[in-house]
Amino acid sequence: MKMIRLIYSSLLFWQTLLFASEARLDLGAGPLTVAGNHYRGSDQSKIWVFPIPYFSYKSEKLEAEPSFIRGILFHNRWLAFKLSLVPGLNVESKDNQTRAGMPSLDYSVEVGPMAIVRLWESTDQEVRINFEMPVRESFALSFKKIKPVGMVTVPYVNVIYNPRKENWNFDSEFSVSPMFASERYHQRFYSVASEFQTSTRTAYKAHGGYSGLQTAIVFNKRFHDIGILSFVRWDQLKGAAFRKSPLVKQQNYYLGGLGLFWMFN
């Protein structure tokens, strides 16, 4: 919930600071259910349920949804520079057999700049293909402090479909990306200090570098007073720099979510 409050507070602050007359703001509330592996490489899964506010805000200076916040620093038709914010889920080690006895992983948030290059656009402007390059610092969020835990970059090709007509088509995005992260970022998830090694878990020090291949698809649609947000993500970890970690039990990672929101406006 601390992660959700941070995102919502950031939205309200940026909205006040960067409000524009052409801004569009949709507000709502409802449950967001997320299901997936505990972490990338885990062979155990979990279901998270968050009762959260839903928001969609778009102006010349800011774009925001529950899964991201992007401040627009510069843009024209083919190039944009933005500031992005992306939340991350937690892992309770007591619920994970592989990490039993190790420190839990707190909720996190990733913040940093991103460049977006529009590679192609259809004549009706309903379909776009972008190359998007975020570089973000990750911060672990605990009750006591906010701790930087390394950098990550996910340079991806993103296919975006935004139908202009009012019909049953969903707005959608499909992206494919190699992932890269710093040594400190990988160590947070995959290193095993000597004090935590066991007969089945050897000591290991993770290194930075390639972090796997990510694919994701997102659908969202508003039907009168009901908003729908859904997404599916699959990562392939073959060849990742941390693949020999004893905390990596499988090379596929799955994450999916569905949100149903009652809209206030």
Side-chain angles (χ1 to χ4, degrees):
M1 295 307 294
K2 190 171 185 178
M3 173 184 62
I4 302 301
R5 290 196 297 269
L6 174 64
I7 296 172
Y8 189 60
S9 298
S10 298
L11 172 68
L12 295 178
F13 172 76
W14 283 28
Q15 176 187 343
T16 303
L17 181 65
L18 302 173
F19 181 78
S21 59
E22 298 298 324
R24 175 182 173 182
L25 174 64
D26 292 326
L27 288 174
L32 173 64
T33 302
V34 180
N37 300 104
H38 285 185
Y39 58 90
R40 301 172 71 243
S42 174
D43 59 356
Q44 293 181 254
S45 59
K46 178 180 178 178
I47 297 176
W48 294 261
V49 179
F50 303 104
I52 65 170
Y54 173 83
F55 49 82
S56 176
Y57 182 86
K58 293 184 179 180
S59 73
E60 292 184 357
K61 297 293 185 179
L62 180 66
E63 297 175 347
E65 290 184 5
S67 59
F68 68 84
I69 294 178
R70 296 173 183 167
I72 302 172
L73 307 177
F74 166 83
H75 75 95
N76 57 32
R77 184 177 178 184
W78 300 104
L79 177 66
F81 292 96
K82 302 183 179 182
L83 181 66
S84 65
L85 183 152
V86 178
L89 298 170
N90 72 327
V91 178
E92 296 287 347
S93 292
K94 63 182 177 61
D95 299 327
N96 186 275
Q97 296 176 357
T98 305
R99 294 187 57 88
M102 297 183 65
S104 296
L105 301 176
D106 294 320
Y107 286 104
S108 63
V109 63
E110 298 174 5
V111 182
M114 68 183 299
I116 300 176
V117 180
R118 184 166 298 177
L119 303 177
W120 179 82
E121 183 178 66
S122 64
T123 54
D124 58 8
Q125 299 183 332
E126 290 189 354
V127 181
R128 302 189 305 277
I129 300 177
N130 291 344
F131 173 73
E132 307 190 11
M133 179 73 177
V135 179
R136 296 188 290 258
E137 176 73 26
S138 181
F139 296 87
L141 309 177
S142 68
F143 289 105
K144 296 181 179 179
K145 61 181 178 180
I146 298 176
K147 178 182 177 182
V149 290
M151 297 189 69
V152 59
T153 181
V154 188
Y156 56 96
V157 175
N158 196 19
V159 181
I160 303 167
Y161 174 55
N162 296 124
R164 290 177 172 274
K165 297 179 181 179
E166 290 295 329
N167 52 31
W168 288 91
N169 290 319
F170 282 68
D171 291 345
S172 59
E173 297 188 23
F174 173 76
S175 62
V176 179
S177 170
M179 303 177 66
F180 304 90
S182 67
E183 181 174 290
R184 184 169 56 169
Y185 185 91
H186 283 168
Q187 285 181 354
R188 176 173 182 252
F189 290 94
Y190 304 108
S191 284
V192 179
S194 57
E195 62 186 293
F196 299 118
Q197 67 179 340
T198 66
S199 58
T200 58
R201 187 173 63 205
T202 58
Y204 179 81
K205 181 180 179 181
H207 300 284
Y210 180 63
S211 192
L213 182 71
Q214 178 190 119
T215 58
I217 187 167
V218 179
F219 297 97
N220 64 80
K221 180 69 175 179
R222 178 169 178 174
F223 298 96
H224 303 293
D225 293 331
I226 301 296
I228 301 174
L229 172 67
S230 62
F231 64 89
V232 177
R233 171 179 163 181
W234 169 68
D235 291 11
Q236 168 56 251
L237 307 184
K238 183 177 180 180
F242 51 79
R243 64 190 180 280
K244 295 183 180 180
S245 169
L247 303 179
V248 176
K249 295 300 182 180
Q250 64 179 23
Q251 297 199 18
N252 294 300
Y253 168 77
Y254 301 96
L255 187 71
L258 175 64
L260 297 175
F261 305 98
W262 179 264
M263 307 306 294
F264 303 144
N265 59 339

